Amino acid sequence: MTPPLHERVALITGASRGIGRATARALAAAGADLVLTARTETDLRAAADEVEALGRRALVVPADASQADDVARLEAAAIGAFGRVDILVNNAGTNPFFGAVQDMDERAWDAIMNTNVKAAFFLSVMAREAMLEHGEGGSIVNVSSIGGLQASDVIGGYSISKAAMIMLTQVCAKTWGRDDIRVNCIAPGLIKTEFSRALWENEAILEDATQTAALRRIGTPEEMAGAVVYLSSRAASFVTGQTLVLCGGRWL
C-alpha cells in the first residue's frame, strides 16, 4: 500500500526536539520528505538522521522563522532541494516568562509574539505561494495549545499568543480554501517535552493536569504527531479551519 504522504514534502519549524521532532518521524513514516528547521543545527542533524533511517530524505536549514530573510531562505532551500512544498507544520514556540502577566516586560512580549504568531503567519504565506506554484493544494497545521482556550495566570503571554494562533488558523482557512489549501490547528494539553519541563516538574501543576484529565495523565510528543499526520493527509480532505484539542480529556 502506498503511504498516505508518498512524494509529499513537509516543512516543520521547531523540528529539533519535542513535538516537532516526533512529528518529523511520523510524517516520514507516512512517506513524506522533510525540511527541518530550528535555530540549533546540532539537534536538527540528529532529527534528520531519524528521518533518513525511515527511508526518507531530510534537509536541515537552521533559521529564525521570525526573520523575513530567513523565511525567504527557507523557501528557496526547500524548493531547491525538493521542487515543492505540500505541508507546513508551524510548531516553533517560545515562552521566556513565567509569572503574572502584568510583570512581563516588552522584550518577553515581543519574543513570544514574534516566534509564536508572526513567524507562523509569514511562513504560512510562504507555504501558500509554494503550493500555488505546483497547483495541487496543500495543508498547513498550526500548533497552538490548550492555553489558547483556557487563560493562565502564570503563562498569560503564551496563552494570548496561542489564542491568536487559533484565529490565524481560521482566517487563513477561510481565505485560502479556494486554493485547495487546508489550514488546521492542534491544541495540546500538558505534554512531556523539554519545553514544558517547568510545568510538569511542578508537583502542583502536574497533579492538577492529571487529576482533571479523563485519562489521568499527561501526553507524549508522539501522541501529538499522529494528529498532524491525519490533518496533513487526504483523509482530512474536508477538514479546514478546525482546532483539534489533544489534552487527554482535560478540556471537557
Side-chain angles (χ1 to χ4, degrees), residues 88 90 117-128 131 138-142 164-185 239-242:
L88 169 66
N90 280 313
V117 184
K118 177 185 174 182
F121 171 68
F122 284 106
L123 278 166
S124 295
V125 171
M126 175 274 289
R128 174 182 176 269
M131 292 168 187
S139 173
I140 297 171
V141 182
N142 295 320
M165 177 73 85
I166 291 170
M167 183 50 65
L168 173 65
T169 298
Q170 295 178 12
V171 169
C172 292
K174 191 173 186 68
T175 308
W176 300 343
R178 68 201 69 183
D179 301 320
D180 195 26
I181 296 171
R182 297 179 300 103
V183 188
N184 290 290
C185 187
V239 180
T240 196
Q242 303 306 302

Side-chain angles (χ1 to χ4, degrees), residues 12-17 36-41 44 61-64 74 92:
I12 304 177
T13 68
S16 60
R17 57 185 182 175
L36 306 175
T37 186
R39 297 185 185 187
T40 305
E41 184 170 1
L44 281 174
V61 187
D64 178 354
L74 268 172

Side-chain angles (χ1 to χ4, degrees), residues 91-142:
N91 170 70
T94 191
N95 182 44
F97 181 79
F98 187 92
V101 67
Q102 69 270 15
D103 296 328
M104 180 170 53
D105 63 21
E106 183 178 6
R107 182 176 181 180
W109 172 270
D110 287 346
I112 291 169
M113 294 302 161
N114 285 344
T115 298
N116 297 3
V117 184
K118 177 185 174 182
F121 171 68
F122 284 106
L123 278 166
S124 295
V125 171
M126 175 274 289
R128 174 182 176 269
E129 294 172 351
M131 292 168 187
L132 290 176
E133 282 293 321
H134 61 64
E136 297 178 18
S139 173
I140 297 171
V141 182
N142 295 320

Side-chain angles (χ1 to χ4, degrees), residues 9-94:
V9 176
L11 191 158
I12 304 177
T13 68
S16 60
R17 57 185 182 175
I19 292 173
R21 189 159 169 173
T23 297
R25 293 193 298 268
L27 290 172
D33 294 319
L34 277 298
V35 180
L36 306 175
T37 186
R39 297 185 185 187
T40 305
E41 184 170 1
T42 303
D43 290 341
L44 281 174
R45 294 289 177 190
D49 289 343
E50 293 173 354
V51 167
E52 291 169 352
L54 292 166
R56 305 311 307 172
R57 295 176 292 169
L59 174 68
V60 167
V61 187
D64 178 354
S66 67
Q67 301 299 314
D69 288 348
D70 279 14
V71 170
R73 184 165 57 83
L74 268 172
E75 179 180 19
I79 299 300
F82 298 122
R84 60 190 293 140
V85 174
D86 303 281
I87 299 160
L88 169 66
V89 182
N90 280 313
N91 170 70
T94 191

